[in-house]
């Protein structure tokens, strides 16, 4: 079958299918199409499509990516380049996935894959010149967790080169669930329920939605309790009685007091839902309560603004 008449010394046959053998010959001809030579020695090749990388992400082990399977292929050659650099072979794979464990953080890489013979000695396909690009970043480190009235607050160290972060939590020992994507290094999880253990982790993500880093698989764990709701504060001479609603799961409560022109201070802890603050001077006081562990060392909840009382 005649494919084309050309004045060039090369030709690209684009009407071909994957994993098919094709045999080619070349014949010299005049401008008028008159045959001027016998056919050249034939050459037979088997054509394979160039693999296309479909998924790519930063992981704890490096940059991981996968591509479509090419029928008839038993080995793939993996290549990468940095910005402005040249393609270099970094490995081979019999499967359709590869992790570049030599990737350096805060470096942008472009990856591509081509088909090769089983013994890895010769190429069997072309490759995508554009490939897939990812800037590999460090894993965000959570530096602080805390409680607010309406949830759990998580803070982490900024990662050089990060555009944004995706925050995850899991309940008890369940599965990770993506909560939100933020550009700041602080997030308040309001989708929490009382008396539930939550574990948090954070991952860098690009504007294209590609994960640029791995994540701390252990994360940071907190035990969330609702902030106690104060019922009333009542004066009895020089003493004040503070009462609040019980919180399911609470081991103990820490009581805070603030004079009119002073600062909050923790004054005591109790396992009950009432507390007498005794022998007070005449002043205006504000009270609030937080859940704590039985040893009064670790907070377990946020707190409400509090109730005020003016001693007379």
């Amino acid at each position: 079958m005649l494919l084309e008449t050309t004045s060039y010394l090369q030709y690209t046959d684009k009407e071909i299918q994957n994993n098919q053998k094709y045999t080619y010959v070349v014949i010299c001809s005049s401008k008028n199409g008159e045959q001027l030579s016998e056919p050249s020695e034939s050459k037979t090749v088997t054509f394979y499509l160039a693999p296309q990388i479909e998924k790519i992400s930063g992981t704890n082990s490096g940059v991981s990516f996968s591509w479509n399977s090419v029928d008839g292929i038993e080995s793939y050659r993996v290549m990468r380049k940095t910005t402005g650099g040249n393609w270099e072979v970094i490995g081979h794979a019999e499967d359709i996935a590869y992790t570049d464990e030599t990737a350096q953080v805060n470096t942008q890489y472009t990856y591509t894959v081509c088909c090769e013979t089983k013994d890895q000695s010769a190429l069997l396909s072309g490759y995508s010149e554009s490939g897939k690009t990812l800037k590999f970043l460090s894993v965000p480190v959570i530096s602080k967790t805390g409680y607010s009235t309406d949830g759990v607050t998580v803070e982490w160290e900024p990662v050089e080169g990060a555009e944004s972060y995706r925050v995850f939590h899991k309940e008890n020992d369940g599965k990770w669930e993506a909560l939100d994507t933020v550009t700041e290094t602080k997030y308040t999880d309001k989708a929490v329920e009382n008396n539930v253990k939550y574990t948090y982790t954070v991952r860098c993500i690009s504007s294209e939605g590609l994960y640029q880093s791995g994540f701390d698989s252990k994360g940071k764990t907190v035990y969330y309790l609702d902030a106690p709701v104060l019922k009333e504060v009542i004066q009895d001479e020089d003493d004040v009685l503070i009462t609040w609603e019980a919180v399911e799961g609470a081991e103990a409560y820490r009581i805070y007091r603030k004079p009119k022109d002073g600062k909050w201070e923790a004054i005591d802890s109790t396992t009950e839902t009432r507390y007498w603050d005794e022998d007070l001077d005449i002043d205006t006081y504000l009270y609030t309560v937080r859940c704590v562990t039985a040893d009064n060392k670790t907070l377990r909840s946020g707190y409400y603004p509090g109730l005020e009382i003016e001693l007379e």
Side-chain angles (χ1 to χ4, degrees), residues 77-281:
R77 187 171 298 182
V78 183
M79 298 182 288
R80 80 175 184 195
K81 65 179 179 180
T82 53
T83 304
N86 297 318
W87 290 113
E88 61 172 331
V89 178
I90 60 171
H92 307 269
E94 295 180 0
D95 201 356
I96 55 171
Y98 185 84
T99 298
D100 178 10
E101 297 180 353
T102 65
Q104 300 295 307
V105 296
N106 204 27
T107 304
Q108 182 165 289
Y109 296 99
T110 301
Y111 296 90
T112 195
V113 181
C114 58
C115 303
E116 64 182 2
T117 56
K118 187 176 182 179
D119 64 3
Q120 305 172 357
S121 62
L123 295 178
L124 294 177
S125 77
Y127 58 89
S128 169
E129 288 283 355
S130 58
K132 281 285 188 182
T133 299
L134 183 79
K135 189 173 185 179
F136 184 51
L137 301 176
S138 301
V139 174
V141 176
I142 293 177
S143 56
K144 183 180 180 182
T145 58
Y147 301 93
S148 64
T149 305
D150 55 356
V152 176
T153 300
V154 184
E155 298 181 40
W156 55 93
E157 299 294 335
V159 175
E160 183 181 358
E163 300 173 6
S164 55
Y165 306 89
R166 182 160 291 175
V167 185
F168 297 80
H169 83 188
K170 62 179 176 180
E171 296 183 17
N172 298 317
D173 296 316
K175 295 182 179 179
W176 290 112
E177 175 187 359
L179 296 174
D180 206 349
T181 300
V182 297
T183 56
E184 298 178 351
T185 57
K186 182 178 182 179
Y187 180 77
T188 298
D189 178 12
K190 299 181 180 181
V192 290
E193 297 180 356
N194 183 63
N195 202 21
V196 176
K197 179 180 75 173
Y198 292 96
T199 303
Y200 294 88
T201 195
V202 182
R203 202 171 182 183
C204 299
I205 189 168
S206 71
S207 56
E208 292 82 19
L210 299 175
Y211 289 119
Q212 297 176 281
S213 74
F215 63 96
D216 180 359
S217 59
K218 292 183 179 180
K220 290 288 187 181
T221 299
V222 299
Y223 294 83
Y224 176 76
L225 295 174
D226 289 335
V229 177
L230 274 72
K231 297 167 67 174
E232 58 183 355
V233 289
I234 303 172
Q235 179 181 358
D236 183 5
E237 296 184 354
D238 295 338
D239 304 334
V240 171
L241 174 64
I242 309 106
T243 60
W244 56 91
E245 299 286 348
V247 177
E248 181 184 357
E251 298 174 356
Y253 304 93
R254 185 181 294 173
I255 301 93
Y256 293 81
R257 178 184 65 205
K258 183 174 76 168
K260 182 178 180 180
D261 297 319
K263 298 180 179 180
W264 283 111
E265 63 172 331
I267 58 175
D268 207 348
S269 66
T270 179
T271 58
E272 299 180 357
T273 56
R274 54 190 286 142
Y275 180 78
W276 281 102
D277 191 12
E278 301 174 339
D279 299 325
L280 294 167
D281 296 329

